[in-house]
Amino acid sequence: MADLSQKDWTKQLEQDNNSVVLDVRTQEEVELGIIPNALHIDIYKGQGFIDEINKLDKTKNYYVYCKAGGRSAQACAVMNQLGFANAYNLVGGFSEWEGEVTD
């Protein structure tokens, strides 16, 4: 897992054609806005989160975010334990996001 600043996270994401943006916030948080094309899997689903994550392609690079960076760091650690080689945590999360947002 790597903690990346928004600048580095965005720059690396733009240059990565094997990437998936993953939002691990709650549904209520997602309804306030989401980074475009993000996949949403709520980390608070516990085993359900792990089950959903296990269905994902482990060869892709995952750019993970939550509201402030704590849950996404946990998600990246879980993903690493499940065999995902590349999971990047957005430091500061959605609350500090300055990029594009969709509903």
Side-chain angles (χ1 to χ4, degrees):
M1 176 189 92
D3 286 323
L4 299 177
S5 67
Q6 182 174 156
K7 181 182 171 194
D8 292 339
W9 195 84
T10 308
K11 183 178 174 192
Q12 191 168 312
L13 177 61
E14 286 171 356
Q15 298 169 351
D16 190 341
N17 14 337
N18 191 35
S19 64
V20 175
V21 176
L22 178 62
D23 184 329
V24 298
R25 298 175 300 157
T26 65
Q27 184 59 42
E28 292 76 23
E29 289 171 313
V30 168
E31 288 168 7
L32 301 174
I34 190 168
I35 294 174
N37 304 313
L39 175 64
H40 174 236
I41 305 176
D42 184 349
I43 193 169
Y44 286 150
K45 286 184 177 173
Q47 186 60 46
F49 174 77
I50 292 169
D51 293 343
E52 290 294 312
I53 292 294
N54 264 324
K55 294 177 188 171
L56 300 176
D57 184 345
K58 290 182 170 67
T59 65
K60 294 199 176 288
N61 303 318
Y62 290 87
Y63 294 80
V64 188
Y65 72 94
C66 64
K67 185 176 180 181
R71 285 173 286 170
S72 50
Q74 287 179 309
C76 288
V78 167
M79 292 173 79
N80 289 156
Q81 290 172 342
L82 294 173
F84 289 83
N86 298 309
Y88 305 103
N89 180 39
L90 175 61
V91 173
F94 191 77
S95 59
E96 294 183 17
W97 179 250
E98 295 171 357
E100 198 178 334
V101 172
T102 58
D103 296 336

XYZ file of all heavy atoms in Angstrom:
810
model
N 0.832 -1.187 0.000
C 0.000 0.000 0.000
C 0.874 1.246 0.000
O 1.912 1.268 0.635
C -0.883 0.009 1.252
C -1.707 1.275 1.360
S -2.559 1.454 2.930
C -1.358 2.378 3.869
N 0.417 2.241 -0.705
C 1.134 3.515 -0.716
C 0.151 4.634 -0.407
O -0.954 4.664 -0.938
C 1.773 3.748 -2.080
N 0.548 5.519 0.491
C -0.221 6.731 0.761
C 0.243 7.794 -0.215
O 1.435 8.109 -0.252
C 0.032 7.228 2.196
C -0.661 6.373 3.236
O -1.782 5.903 2.978
O -0.080 6.174 4.311
N -0.683 8.336 -0.994
C -0.317 9.349 -1.977
C -1.082 10.641 -1.707
O -2.268 10.610 -1.372
C -0.643 8.867 -3.392
C 0.067 7.613 -3.892
C -0.433 7.252 -5.284
C 1.579 7.812 -3.919
N -0.397 11.760 -1.906
C -1.073 13.058 -1.834
C -2.031 13.134 -3.018
O -1.900 12.373 -3.991
C -0.048 14.190 -1.938
O 0.536 14.188 -3.241
N -2.976 14.051 -2.965
C -3.914 14.188 -4.076
C -3.182 14.433 -5.393
O -3.516 13.856 -6.418
C -4.903 15.325 -3.812
C -5.897 15.447 -4.936
C -6.995 16.454 -4.677
O -7.577 16.950 -5.606
N -7.281 16.767 -3.431
N -2.156 15.254 -5.347
C -1.388 15.570 -6.557
C -0.772 14.305 -7.150
O -0.899 14.032 -8.343
C -0.303 16.597 -6.214
C 0.547 17.012 -7.387
C 1.620 17.997 -6.957
C 2.592 18.237 -8.085
N 3.800 18.913 -7.629
N -0.107 13.509 -6.313
C 0.545 12.287 -6.794
C -0.481 11.230 -7.208
O -0.304 10.535 -8.211
C 1.477 11.711 -5.724
C 2.686 12.612 -5.471
O 3.012 13.437 -6.344
O 3.293 12.488 -4.395
N -1.560 11.106 -6.425
C -2.623 10.129 -6.697
C -3.240 10.412 -8.061
O -3.388 9.523 -8.885
C -3.653 10.253 -5.582
C -4.672 9.170 -5.405
C -4.501 8.000 -4.726
C -6.048 9.184 -5.830
N -5.689 7.301 -4.704
C -6.651 7.998 -5.369
C -6.820 10.099 -6.540
C -7.985 7.693 -5.606
C -8.151 9.798 -6.777
C -8.722 8.612 -6.318
N -3.574 11.693 -8.292
C -4.206 12.102 -9.551
C -3.250 11.932 -10.729
O -3.631 11.413 -11.778
C -4.667 13.579 -9.453
O -5.452 13.727 -8.277
C -5.491 13.982 -10.649
N -2.009 12.352 -10.538
C -1.014 12.258 -11.614
C -0.774 10.797 -12.002
O -0.766 10.446 -13.184
C 0.298 12.907 -11.146
C 1.382 12.931 -12.196
C 2.620 13.625 -11.659
C 3.761 13.531 -12.643
N 5.037 13.927 -12.057
N -0.614 9.943 -11.003
C -0.365 8.529 -11.263
C -1.588 7.886 -11.922
O -1.449 7.106 -12.863
C -0.031 7.830 -9.935
C 0.510 6.430 -10.108
C 1.095 5.898 -8.807
O 1.872 6.583 -8.141
N 0.723 4.692 -8.456
N -2.779 8.241 -11.439
C -4.021 7.710 -11.991
C -4.168 8.082 -13.463
O -4.533 7.248 -14.287
C -5.211 8.228 -11.177
C -6.607 7.830 -11.645
C -6.776 6.318 -11.618
C -7.656 8.493 -10.769
N -3.862 9.331 -13.806
C -3.984 9.799 -15.197
C -3.080 9.025 -16.145
O -3.399 8.854 -17.320
C -3.653 11.293 -15.281
C -4.745 12.183 -14.735
C -4.320 13.642 -14.621
O -3.146 13.962 -14.903
O -5.165 14.461 -14.216
N -1.935 8.551 -15.636
C -0.973 7.848 -16.482
C -1.155 6.325 -16.466
O -0.415 5.605 -17.118
C 0.452 8.188 -16.026
C 0.780 9.661 -16.165
C 2.074 10.048 -15.473
O 2.671 9.270 -14.746
N 2.511 11.279 -15.695
N -2.150 5.845 -15.725
C -2.342 4.410 -15.504
C -3.531 3.908 -16.315
O -4.664 4.266 -16.042
C -2.572 4.196 -13.996
C -2.553 2.735 -13.598
O -2.721 1.862 -14.478
O -2.382 2.465 -12.401
N -3.276 3.042 -17.326
C -4.417 2.528 -18.085
C -4.867 1.171 -17.559
O -5.606 0.478 -18.217
C -4.180 2.459 -19.608
C -2.761 2.614 -20.011
O -1.985 3.169 -19.274
N -2.395 2.146 -21.166
N -4.422 0.801 -16.375
C -4.855 -0.441 -15.743
C -5.419 -0.122 -14.357
O -5.151 -0.811 -13.388
C -3.672 -1.418 -15.643
C -4.114 -2.807 -15.233
O -5.184 -3.268 -15.599
N -3.293 -3.465 -14.442
N -6.192 0.973 -14.287
C -6.603 1.491 -12.979
C -8.092 1.347 -12.708
O -8.906 1.319 -13.626
C -6.229 2.966 -12.886
O -6.958 3.698 -13.848
N -8.409 1.280 -11.415
C -9.784 1.299 -10.938
C -9.814 2.253 -9.743
O -8.979 2.137 -8.841
C -10.254 -0.104 -10.468
C -11.655 -0.031 -9.864
C -10.209 -1.103 -11.613
N -10.754 3.213 -9.755
C -10.938 4.100 -8.608
C -11.983 3.437 -7.715
O -13.041 3.033 -8.190
C -11.402 5.503 -9.046
C -11.690 6.380 -7.839
C -10.348 6.148 -9.940
N -11.650 3.294 -6.429
C -12.529 2.598 -5.490
C -12.907 3.516 -4.334
O -12.043 4.036 -3.634
C -11.814 1.346 -4.965
C -12.559 0.505 -3.931
C -13.857 -0.043 -4.514
C -11.661 -0.641 -3.458
N -14.212 3.710 -4.161
C -14.768 4.531 -3.083
C -15.254 3.581 -1.994
O -16.111 2.736 -2.253
C -15.932 5.352 -3.649
C -16.546 6.318 -2.649
O -16.547 6.012 -1.439
O -17.047 7.358 -3.087
N -14.722 3.692 -0.768
C -15.106 2.779 0.314
C -15.988 3.457 1.365
O -16.157 2.959 2.474
C -13.866 2.118 0.972
C -13.108 1.279 -0.054
C -12.937 3.139 1.601
N -16.597 4.603 1.011
C -17.470 5.326 1.941
C -18.851 4.673 2.033
O -19.175 3.775 1.273
C -17.628 6.781 1.474
C -16.325 7.563 1.446
C -16.522 8.952 0.874
N -17.032 8.874 -0.489
C -17.710 9.845 -1.088
N -17.961 10.975 -0.460
N -18.139 9.698 -2.330
N -19.667 5.188 2.955
C -21.044 4.705 3.088
C -21.895 5.250 1.941
O -21.508 6.221 1.281
C -21.659 5.171 4.418
O -21.758 6.605 4.393
C -20.838 4.710 5.621
N -23.063 4.640 1.744
C -23.982 5.092 0.696
C -24.386 6.550 0.926
O -24.474 7.332 -0.015
C -25.223 4.193 0.648
C -26.178 4.533 -0.477
C -25.547 4.430 -1.863
O -24.807 3.489 -2.147
N -25.809 5.402 -2.725
N -24.616 6.932 2.186
C -25.002 8.309 2.509
C -23.906 9.291 2.088
O -24.192 10.373 1.581
C -25.278 8.461 4.016
C -26.509 7.717 4.501
C -26.313 6.202 4.641
O -25.166 5.743 4.795
O -27.313 5.480 4.577
N -22.660 8.908 2.300
C -21.542 9.779 1.905
C -21.448 9.875 0.384
O -21.199 10.950 -0.167
C -20.231 9.244 2.480
C -20.118 9.412 3.982
C -18.923 8.689 4.563
O -18.682 7.509 4.237
O -18.203 9.318 5.360
N -21.652 8.765 -0.294
C -21.584 8.733 -1.761
C -22.640 9.643 -2.372
O -22.408 10.284 -3.391
C -21.722 7.276 -2.273
C -21.947 7.242 -3.778
C -20.484 6.474 -1.901
N -23.806 9.733 -1.724
C -24.885 10.577 -2.243
C -24.525 12.059 -2.223
O -25.153 12.862 -2.905
C -26.178 10.304 -1.468
C -26.762 8.949 -1.828
C -27.866 8.484 -0.900
O -28.300 9.256 -0.020
O -28.292 7.320 -1.064
N -23.476 12.430 -1.494
C -23.003 13.818 -1.471
C -22.076 14.121 -2.649
O -21.663 15.254 -2.845
C -22.266 14.100 -0.156
C -23.085 13.899 1.120
C -22.209 14.076 2.342
C -24.266 14.849 1.149
N -21.742 13.091 -3.425
C -20.851 13.250 -4.567
C -19.827 12.141 -4.594
O -19.496 11.563 -3.555
N -19.327 11.848 -5.783
C -18.372 10.754 -5.974
C -17.385 11.151 -7.069
O -17.726 11.917 -7.973
C -19.134 9.440 -6.315
C -18.212 8.224 -6.280
C -19.892 9.557 -7.626
C -18.954 6.892 -6.317
N -16.171 10.671 -6.971
C -15.185 10.907 -8.034
C -15.671 10.136 -9.269
O -16.073 8.972 -9.153
C -13.777 10.464 -7.587
C -13.299 11.363 -6.419
C -12.785 10.526 -8.754
C -11.984 10.943 -5.787
N -15.682 10.764 -10.452
C -16.227 10.122 -11.652
C -15.647 8.727 -11.902
O -14.456 8.498 -11.720
C -15.823 11.078 -12.780
C -15.692 12.397 -12.108
C -15.181 12.107 -10.724
N -16.524 7.819 -12.300
C -16.193 6.436 -12.662
C -15.696 5.580 -11.501
O -15.132 4.511 -11.719
C -15.164 6.400 -13.809
C -15.647 7.167 -15.008
O -16.785 7.005 -15.431
N -14.815 8.041 -15.541
N -15.895 6.049 -10.276
C -15.456 5.262 -9.121
C -16.403 4.094 -8.879
O -17.611 4.206 -9.048
C -15.382 6.138 -7.876
N -15.836 2.990 -8.457
C -16.578 1.814 -8.030
C -16.834 1.992 -6.536
O -15.919 2.351 -5.794
C -15.713 0.570 -8.291
C -16.221 -0.775 -7.816
C -17.498 -1.145 -8.563
C -15.159 -1.832 -8.066
N -18.058 1.755 -6.084
C -18.380 1.959 -4.672
C -18.567 0.627 -3.958
O -19.427 -0.165 -4.337
C -19.665 2.798 -4.539
C -20.142 2.919 -3.135
N -21.388 2.549 -2.735
C -19.507 3.353 -2.012
C -21.524 2.759 -1.437
N -20.392 3.238 -0.976
N -17.738 0.374 -2.937
C -17.899 -0.782 -2.053
C -17.674 -0.278 -0.631
O -16.562 0.116 -0.276
C -16.902 -1.924 -2.379
C -16.999 -2.359 -3.847
C -17.158 -3.116 -1.445
C -15.973 -3.404 -4.259
N -18.725 -0.276 0.179
C -18.691 0.254 1.544
C -17.858 -0.647 2.461
O -18.185 -1.818 2.645
C -20.131 0.368 2.060
C -20.240 1.008 3.440
O -19.214 1.190 4.115
O -21.378 1.303 3.836
N -16.793 -0.103 3.033
C -15.916 -0.888 3.910
C -16.644 -1.338 5.175
O -16.290 -2.336 5.790
C -14.615 -0.123 4.250
C -13.584 -1.075 4.878
C -14.917 1.075 5.141
C -12.189 -0.516 5.004
N -17.693 -0.631 5.572
C -18.436 -1.003 6.778
C -19.288 -2.253 6.592
O -19.919 -2.720 7.532
C -19.303 0.159 7.268
C -18.519 1.274 7.918
C -18.972 2.579 7.864
C -17.322 1.025 8.598
C -18.263 3.620 8.463
C -16.607 2.052 9.189
C -17.083 3.346 9.125
O -16.383 4.365 9.714
N -19.312 -2.826 5.391
C -20.051 -4.070 5.160
C -19.328 -5.276 5.752
O -19.841 -6.386 5.682
C -20.251 -4.300 3.658
C -21.294 -3.400 3.041
C -21.476 -3.774 1.586
C -22.559 -2.953 0.930
N -22.607 -3.222 -0.522
N -18.132 -5.077 6.296
C -17.401 -6.177 6.937
C -17.084 -7.295 5.964
O -16.401 -7.089 4.968
N -17.602 -8.496 6.243
C -17.341 -9.649 5.375
C -17.882 -9.395 3.970
O -17.281 -9.832 2.993
C -17.964 -10.925 5.961
C -17.623 -12.187 5.190
C -16.127 -12.484 5.119
O -15.418 -12.401 6.122
N -15.635 -12.822 3.930
N -18.979 -8.666 3.862
C -19.528 -8.330 2.551
C -18.541 -7.518 1.729
O -18.430 -7.685 0.514
N -17.803 -6.622 2.411
C -16.761 -5.846 1.737
C -15.682 -6.781 1.196
O -15.294 -6.696 0.026
C -16.152 -4.827 2.720
C -14.967 -4.071 2.172
C -15.148 -3.031 1.270
C -13.677 -4.399 2.565
C -14.047 -2.334 0.759
C -12.590 -3.706 2.061
C -12.778 -2.669 1.160
N -15.219 -7.702 2.035
C -14.181 -8.652 1.616
C -14.665 -9.509 0.454
O -13.937 -9.726 -0.526
C -13.722 -9.512 2.820
C -12.969 -8.615 3.817
C -12.864 -10.693 2.376
C -12.677 -9.236 5.158
N -15.918 -9.966 0.531
C -16.485 -10.778 -0.561
C -16.497 -10.003 -1.872
O -16.132 -10.545 -2.925
C -17.913 -11.227 -0.217
C -17.947 -12.207 0.958
O -16.892 -12.782 1.302
O -19.037 -12.374 1.544
N -16.919 -8.716 -1.816
C -16.961 -7.887 -3.026
C -15.552 -7.624 -3.566
O -15.323 -7.687 -4.773
C -17.664 -6.556 -2.743
C -19.149 -6.678 -2.514
C -19.905 -7.122 -3.760
O -19.683 -6.547 -4.836
O -20.710 -8.066 -3.648
N -14.624 -7.315 -2.672
C -13.241 -7.045 -3.075
C -12.630 -8.270 -3.753
O -11.927 -8.165 -4.759
C -12.387 -6.609 -1.844
C -12.838 -5.239 -1.331
C -10.899 -6.625 -2.156
C -12.608 -4.081 -2.270
N -12.918 -9.445 -3.222
C -12.368 -10.683 -3.775
C -12.843 -10.963 -5.198
O -12.211 -11.739 -5.911
C -12.685 -11.881 -2.869
C -11.540 -12.178 -1.927
O -10.377 -12.040 -2.288
N -11.864 -12.594 -0.720
N -13.932 -10.323 -5.627
C -14.440 -10.512 -6.995
C -13.680 -9.636 -7.998
O -13.822 -9.807 -9.203
C -15.927 -10.154 -7.054
C -16.814 -11.081 -6.255
C -18.253 -10.600 -6.323
C -19.150 -11.379 -5.377
N -20.493 -10.787 -5.273
N -12.897 -8.681 -7.493
C -12.196 -7.743 -8.372
C -10.943 -8.367 -8.980
O -10.377 -9.321 -8.449
C -11.815 -6.479 -7.585
C -12.977 -5.699 -6.963
C -12.434 -4.530 -6.139
C -13.946 -5.207 -8.024
N -10.504 -7.790 -10.077
C -9.312 -8.236 -10.799
C -8.053 -7.815 -10.031
O -7.762 -6.628 -9.916
C -9.338 -7.600 -12.192
C -8.201 -8.074 -13.078
O -7.231 -8.675 -12.569
O -8.282 -7.828 -14.294
N -7.313 -8.785 -9.523
C -6.127 -8.492 -8.704
C -4.952 -7.946 -9.524
O -3.973 -7.485 -8.961
C -5.703 -9.733 -7.919
C -6.678 -10.085 -6.806
C -6.206 -11.293 -6.002
C -7.014 -11.532 -4.751
N -8.387 -11.921 -4.946
N -5.053 -8.014 -10.854
C -3.954 -7.510 -11.692
C -4.074 -6.009 -11.948
O -3.164 -5.395 -12.507
C -3.902 -8.237 -13.055
O -5.089 -7.920 -13.794
C -3.787 -9.747 -12.866
N -5.187 -5.417 -11.550
C -5.370 -3.972 -11.769
C -4.772 -3.170 -10.618
O -4.462 -3.705 -9.561
C -6.855 -3.650 -11.940
C -7.440 -4.256 -13.210
C -8.721 -3.594 -13.603
C -9.259 -4.105 -14.912
N -8.486 -3.658 -16.070
N -4.625 -1.863 -10.849
C -4.124 -0.938 -9.830
C -5.317 -0.192 -9.259
O -6.098 0.400 -10.006
C -3.136 0.049 -10.449
C -1.983 -0.675 -11.114
O -1.448 -1.632 -10.586
N -1.614 -0.222 -12.300
N -5.446 -0.200 -7.938
C -6.610 0.393 -7.282
C -6.253 1.691 -6.574
O -5.322 1.738 -5.773
C -7.232 -0.614 -6.300
C -7.881 -1.752 -7.064
C -7.140 -2.860 -7.453
C -9.210 -1.678 -7.456
C -7.713 -3.882 -8.204
C -9.798 -2.691 -8.206
C -9.042 -3.787 -8.573
O -9.613 -4.780 -9.327
N -7.031 2.725 -6.886
C -6.871 4.050 -6.287
C -8.050 4.226 -5.339
O -9.191 4.375 -5.791
C -6.834 5.121 -7.386
C -5.597 4.964 -8.237
C -5.527 4.021 -9.253
C -4.465 5.734 -7.974
C -4.376 3.846 -10.006
C -3.303 5.566 -8.723
C -3.266 4.622 -9.729
O -2.119 4.450 -10.460
N -7.778 4.131 -4.050
C -8.819 3.988 -3.042
C -8.978 5.279 -2.237
O -7.985 5.894 -1.845
C -8.477 2.810 -2.093
C -9.642 2.519 -1.147
C -8.107 1.548 -2.888
N -10.245 5.652 -1.987
C -10.483 6.835 -1.157
C -11.710 6.646 -0.283
O -12.585 5.826 -0.557
C -10.619 8.097 -2.009
C -11.897 8.217 -2.800
C -12.986 8.918 -2.270
C -12.025 7.648 -4.051
C -14.164 9.040 -3.002
C -13.202 7.768 -4.785
C -14.263 8.456 -4.252
O -15.425 8.572 -4.964
N -11.748 7.423 0.804
C -12.907 7.494 1.683
C -13.132 8.974 1.979
O -12.766 9.821 1.171
C -12.707 6.666 2.958
S -11.361 7.268 3.999
N -13.670 9.304 3.134
C -13.929 10.708 3.433
C -12.658 11.454 3.811
O -12.424 12.565 3.370
C -14.968 10.831 4.550
C -15.376 12.261 4.840
C -16.483 12.328 5.874
C -16.862 13.763 6.148
N -17.920 13.848 7.171
N -11.817 10.834 4.659
C -10.631 11.541 5.151
C -9.316 10.785 4.974
O -8.258 11.351 5.174
C -10.818 11.897 6.625
N -9.369 9.510 4.612
C -8.144 8.753 4.378
C -7.921 7.580 5.313
O -7.066 6.740 5.063
N -8.677 7.490 6.402
C -8.500 6.404 7.366
C -9.051 5.071 6.897
O -8.357 4.060 6.899
N -10.320 5.069 6.496
C -10.940 3.821 6.020
C -10.286 3.331 4.738
O -10.132 2.123 4.539
C -12.442 4.018 5.791
C -13.240 4.069 7.078
C -14.688 4.428 6.808
N -14.773 5.840 6.479
C -15.849 6.446 6.007
N -16.953 5.760 5.773
N -15.849 7.738 5.753
N -9.891 4.255 3.870
C -9.258 3.823 2.617
C -7.892 3.199 2.898
O -7.491 2.257 2.220
C -9.165 4.970 1.612
O -8.605 6.129 2.183
N -7.193 3.683 3.923
C -5.916 3.060 4.309
C -6.172 1.638 4.798
O -5.440 0.702 4.433
C -5.224 3.881 5.398
N -7.240 1.449 5.586
C -7.619 0.112 6.044
C -7.970 -0.777 4.852
O -7.569 -1.939 4.791
C -8.850 0.167 6.960
C -8.586 0.709 8.330
C -9.887 0.734 9.142
O -10.909 1.246 8.680
N -9.851 0.186 10.337
N -8.729 -0.226 3.916
C -9.135 -0.985 2.727
C -7.917 -1.430 1.930
O -7.849 -2.573 1.480
C -10.067 -0.151 1.853
N -6.940 -0.544 1.767
C -5.716 -0.885 1.037
C -4.970 -2.025 1.744
O -4.473 -2.946 1.095
C -4.804 0.331 0.907
S -5.400 1.571 -0.254
N -4.911 -1.956 3.074
C -4.226 -3.009 3.842
C -4.941 -4.347 3.659
O -4.297 -5.384 3.449
C -4.163 -2.622 5.320
N -6.275 -4.338 3.709
C -7.056 -5.559 3.495
C -6.799 -6.092 2.086
O -6.588 -7.292 1.887
C -8.568 -5.294 3.711
C -9.422 -6.445 3.202
C -8.849 -5.023 5.183
N -6.810 -5.199 1.110
C -6.580 -5.608 -0.280
C -5.203 -6.235 -0.447
O -5.062 -7.254 -1.130
C -6.769 -4.419 -1.219
C -8.223 -3.965 -1.272
S -8.470 -2.450 -2.203
C -8.402 -3.109 -3.889
N -4.204 -5.661 0.186
C -2.850 -6.234 0.123
C -2.842 -7.641 0.711
O -2.231 -8.557 0.145
C -1.839 -5.343 0.836
C -1.538 -4.043 0.089
O -1.117 -3.059 0.680
N -1.773 -4.017 -1.222
N -3.539 -7.837 1.820
C -3.618 -9.166 2.445
C -4.329 -10.175 1.542
O -4.031 -11.361 1.579
C -4.351 -9.094 3.787
C -3.562 -8.384 4.871
C -4.391 -8.146 6.131
O -5.620 -8.199 6.112
N -3.706 -7.857 7.231
N -5.253 -9.684 0.732
C -6.011 -10.555 -0.171
C -5.273 -10.810 -1.492
O -5.802 -11.493 -2.362
C -7.384 -9.947 -0.456
C -8.328 -9.853 0.750
C -9.589 -9.081 0.372
C -8.696 -11.237 1.268
N -4.090 -10.238 -1.648
C -3.296 -10.518 -2.834
C -3.286 -9.443 -3.898
O -2.793 -9.660 -5.007
N -3.833 -8.263 -3.594
C -3.772 -7.150 -4.543
C -2.395 -6.505 -4.404
O -2.015 -6.079 -3.314
C -4.860 -6.112 -4.243
C -6.241 -6.592 -4.565
C -6.948 -7.381 -3.666
C -6.844 -6.256 -5.768
C -8.228 -7.832 -3.955
C -8.130 -6.700 -6.065
C -8.821 -7.494 -5.159
N -1.672 -6.415 -5.499
C -0.307 -5.879 -5.446
C -0.276 -4.362 -5.320
O 0.580 -3.808 -4.637
C 0.470 -6.310 -6.688
N -1.227 -3.687 -5.967
C -1.175 -2.228 -6.024
C -2.464 -1.577 -5.575
O -3.462 -1.574 -6.298
C -0.845 -1.774 -7.453
C 0.502 -2.284 -7.894
O 1.492 -2.129 -7.197
N 0.537 -2.932 -9.050
N -2.425 -1.021 -4.354
C -3.557 -0.272 -3.814
C -2.993 1.046 -3.281
O -2.086 1.048 -2.457
C -4.245 -1.061 -2.711
N -3.536 2.147 -3.788
C -3.021 3.473 -3.441
C -4.066 4.264 -2.665
O -5.176 4.465 -3.147
C -2.626 4.226 -4.715
C -1.647 3.453 -5.556
C -2.058 2.786 -6.703
C -0.305 3.368 -5.185
C -1.161 2.054 -7.467
C 0.597 2.636 -5.941
C 0.168 1.984 -7.076
O 1.053 1.257 -7.824
N -3.694 4.704 -1.484
C -4.587 5.445 -0.608
C -4.497 6.943 -0.870
O -3.402 7.501 -0.910
C -4.221 5.145 0.852
C -5.098 5.884 1.832
O -6.288 6.024 1.638
N -4.492 6.364 2.901
N -5.668 7.588 -1.012
C -5.719 9.040 -1.194
C -5.680 9.713 0.176
O -6.652 9.652 0.929
C -6.995 9.441 -1.950
C -7.237 10.948 -2.105
C -6.107 11.611 -2.886
C -8.582 11.193 -2.776
N -4.550 10.323 0.515
C -4.399 11.027 1.787
C -5.327 12.236 1.804
O -5.369 13.005 0.847
C -2.921 11.453 1.996
C -2.785 12.325 3.231
C -2.021 10.233 2.094
N -6.088 12.384 2.881
C -7.027 13.500 2.985
C -8.407 13.168 2.470
O -9.372 13.855 2.789
N -8.506 12.139 1.640
C -9.784 11.642 1.168
C -10.631 12.631 0.394
O -10.165 13.668 -0.088
N -11.916 12.289 0.296
C -12.868 13.075 -0.487
C -13.068 14.470 0.088
O -13.322 15.416 -0.647
C -14.209 12.329 -0.553
C -15.182 12.905 -1.527
C -15.044 12.671 -2.879
C -16.244 13.688 -1.096
C -15.950 13.196 -3.792
C -17.157 14.220 -1.995
C -17.001 13.976 -3.346
N -12.928 14.604 1.402
C -13.150 15.919 2.026
C -12.129 16.968 1.571
O -12.401 18.145 1.623
C -13.166 15.811 3.556
O -11.942 15.292 4.017
N -10.960 16.511 1.091
C -9.953 17.446 0.584
C -9.804 17.380 -0.932
O -8.924 18.012 -1.510
C -8.592 17.164 1.253
C -8.620 17.453 2.751
C -7.269 17.244 3.417
O -6.249 17.197 2.702
O -7.261 17.104 4.639
N -10.666 16.596 -1.582
C -10.603 16.406 -3.028
C -10.901 17.704 -3.753
O -11.875 18.375 -3.454
C -11.596 15.328 -3.426
C -11.649 15.041 -4.900
C -12.675 15.341 -5.742
C -10.667 14.388 -5.692
N -12.381 14.910 -7.018
C -11.148 14.316 -7.018
C -9.415 13.847 -5.420
C -10.428 13.743 -8.053
C -8.689 13.280 -6.447
C -9.187 13.221 -7.750
N -10.060 18.049 -4.724
C -10.250 19.263 -5.497
C -10.551 18.984 -6.956
O -10.706 19.889 -7.753
C -8.992 20.153 -5.376
C -8.768 20.637 -3.972
C -7.423 21.343 -3.788
O -6.637 21.402 -4.757
O -7.180 21.832 -2.687
N -10.631 17.703 -7.304
C -10.887 17.337 -8.694
C -12.364 17.285 -9.010
O -13.209 17.773 -8.259
N -12.674 16.634 -10.109
C -14.042 16.528 -10.603
C -14.885 15.659 -9.675
O -14.401 14.706 -9.076
C -14.001 15.910 -12.010
C -15.247 16.115 -12.826
C -15.119 15.523 -14.220
O -13.983 15.399 -14.719
O -16.161 15.175 -14.775
N -16.177 15.986 -9.575
C -17.124 15.235 -8.741
C -18.419 15.087 -9.523
O -18.845 16.015 -10.217
C -17.413 15.992 -7.416
C -18.528 15.318 -6.636
C -16.165 16.109 -6.571
N -19.039 13.908 -9.444
C -20.355 13.705 -10.047
C -21.331 13.259 -8.974
O -20.930 12.859 -7.889
C -20.310 12.649 -11.174
O -19.824 11.435 -10.631
C -19.450 13.097 -12.316
N -22.610 13.310 -9.288
C -23.650 12.884 -8.345
C -23.892 11.396 -8.430
O -23.829 10.811 -9.453
C -24.967 13.617 -8.624
C -24.807 15.116 -8.393
O -23.918 15.494 -7.625
O -25.573 15.877 -9.006
